[in-house]
Amino acid sequence: MNQPLALGIDIGGTNTSYGVVDRRGRILAKGSMATKGGSVLEYIDNLKGEVNKVMDEAGRENVIAAGVGAPNANFFTGEIAYAANLPWEGVIPLAKLIGEALHLKVTITNDANAAALGEMMYGAAKGMKDFILVTLGTGVGSGFVANGELIYGHDGFAGELGHVIAVRDGRKCGCGRNGCLERYSSATGIVITAEEWLQDRQDESILRDHQGKLSAKLIHEAAEKGDKLALEIFDYTAKILGQALADAVAITSPQAIIFFGGLAKSGPLLFNPVRKYLEENVLRVFKNKIMLVQSDLPDSDAAILGASALVW
């Protein structure tokens, strides 16, 4: 008997990746294309042509449905609304448009929620019913799973850890508020901290050679070499993240917090101080109960796997 397959589509601000996946998480065929470059209808038309190729390669007749992860995507309405990192304005009925183009049932959710489902089905959260997935990339994304179910809230937008106010009256955020977590504990946030400190302080640091052109990777490399300012920047970033996670733990009592994304690859430089500040700030009943885990999913395939998990 032919096995059922899922189509996973991840729509990012720059690229869209897609693939056909079986229930065990094996990607049978995959590809990618540019997201930008035209209207949403032109994008859907291009996507249809590219996705049809991988479905033909994997066995189109076995593809039962599609899952889509995208910024600001709403699980309940099938729409993306005012996504700052996508090239289309307003509210787009994305699930309907893709479904009509591909003649498939389509389910969408935001990219961090899709990543959480991927971890639960194929990755580090397999077998867990209560966990938080935190993506540390350009921003901070998150997906909250409780009692084995992804928390969407009444309108589909629950679980926005990146937009809790971590520093009162702090840095201006792209969402319009001040002091959001992602302005401090993302790959973007750590660079902002470094640039501010280099300007305001006189510490010697190899980061000064890259002032104005810093990246999270450069700061990581400097910290690994023992640069005191870079190490202090990591500690500051981890402190704000650990404190915010301590608050999140009090709400859902997770078994684990799973980290994904570029900044999460910093390993002990980030995780050791995050654990320290989490344990210092968490309620006593939760102390030493929360596992901090790095994602098990391969970087290049994680987005496709997460989106495909929506189908199952």
Side-chain angles (χ1 to χ4, degrees):
M1 188 176 78
N2 290 330
Q3 63 172 334
L5 303 174
L7 173 65
I9 302 172
D10 178 74
I11 302 174
T14 304
N15 292 307
T16 296
S17 56
Y18 44 86
V20 178
V21 185
D22 68 14
R23 285 199 79 127
R24 295 171 59 188
R26 292 185 303 169
I27 298 178
L28 307 182
K30 64 179 179 178
S32 66
M33 57 174 267
T35 301
K36 296 181 179 178
S39 69
V40 68
L41 293 180
E42 289 172 317
Y43 168 81
I44 295 293
D45 194 50
N46 291 336
L47 180 69
K48 176 182 176 181
E50 295 300 320
V51 165
N52 277 335
K53 295 174 189 175
V54 298
M55 287 202 294
D56 287 341
E57 183 182 340
R60 172 189 296 274
E61 66 281 1
N62 296 325
V63 178
I64 60 170
V68 179
N72 287 45
N74 190 309
F75 175 77
F76 293 129
T77 67
E79 299 169 335
I80 54 170
Y82 310 103
N85 295 323
L86 293 180
W88 316 303
E89 297 291 331
V91 179
I92 310 290
L94 194 66
K96 180 175 180 285
L97 292 173
I98 294 176
E100 289 173 350
L102 299 178
H103 305 292
L104 288 172
K105 178 186 175 184
V106 175
T107 305
I108 71 171
T109 191
N110 78 51
D111 37 7
N113 281 345
L117 288 173
E119 290 292 347
M120 185 163 59
M121 226 180 138
Y122 310 121
K126 203 167 184 179
M128 290 186 194
K129 292 190 173 182
D130 298 273
F131 68 93
I132 302 171
L133 184 283
V134 181
T135 63
L136 301 174
T138 304
V140 174
S142 57
F144 285 71
V145 173
N147 300 323
E149 297 287 339
L150 196 58
I151 298 175
Y152 285 108
H154 83 281
D155 58 357
F157 291 114
E160 283 288 353
L161 184 65
H163 294 287
V164 300
I165 296 176
V167 177
R168 296 292 165 187
D169 302 315
R171 297 169 184 164
K172 188 75 173 175
C173 182
C175 74
R177 303 192 308 156
N178 295 317
C180 289
L181 179 65
E182 74 170 36
R183 297 302 285 166
Y184 295 87
S185 295
S186 63
T188 304
I190 198 170
V191 169
I192 294 171
T193 299
E195 294 286 4
E196 286 180 352
W197 287 16
L198 286 169
Q199 186 171 336
D200 296 343
R201 294 168 47 163
Q202 303 303 315
D203 311 49
E204 287 186 13
S205 172
I206 57 179
L207 296 177
R208 293 198 180 279
D209 297 336
H210 306 281
Q211 203 163 348
K213 300 176 291 183
L214 284 172
S215 66
K217 184 172 182 286
L218 282 169
I219 300 165
H220 175 213
E221 289 170 353
E224 282 198 319
K225 292 174 183 174
D227 185 276
K228 288 184 179 179
L229 185 66
L231 287 167
E232 191 179 342
I233 289 166
F234 261 96
D235 188 75
Y236 175 76
T237 302
K239 181 177 183 180
I240 293 173
L241 180 57
Q243 289 172 340
L245 291 174
D247 289 339
V249 163
I251 297 168
T252 62
S253 185
Q255 178 181 351
I257 300 170
I258 299 166
F259 296 90
F260 182 79
L263 190 58
K265 292 179 192 171
S266 301
L269 277 174
L270 183 70
F271 290 124
N272 288 348
V274 165
R275 175 168 292 287
K276 172 190 167 188
Y277 291 115
L278 170 67
E279 294 297 345
E280 283 180 2
N281 289 280
V282 80
L283 276 169
R284 188 180 299 174
V285 292
F286 299 117
K287 281 188 182 293
N288 301 311
K289 288 183 179 177
I290 317 300
M291 293 187 292
L292 301 187
V293 183
Q294 204 155 1
S295 169
D296 265 355
L297 299 181
D299 285 0
S300 58
D301 296 336
I304 294 171
L305 290 171
S308 74
L310 283 163
V311 172
W312 312 122

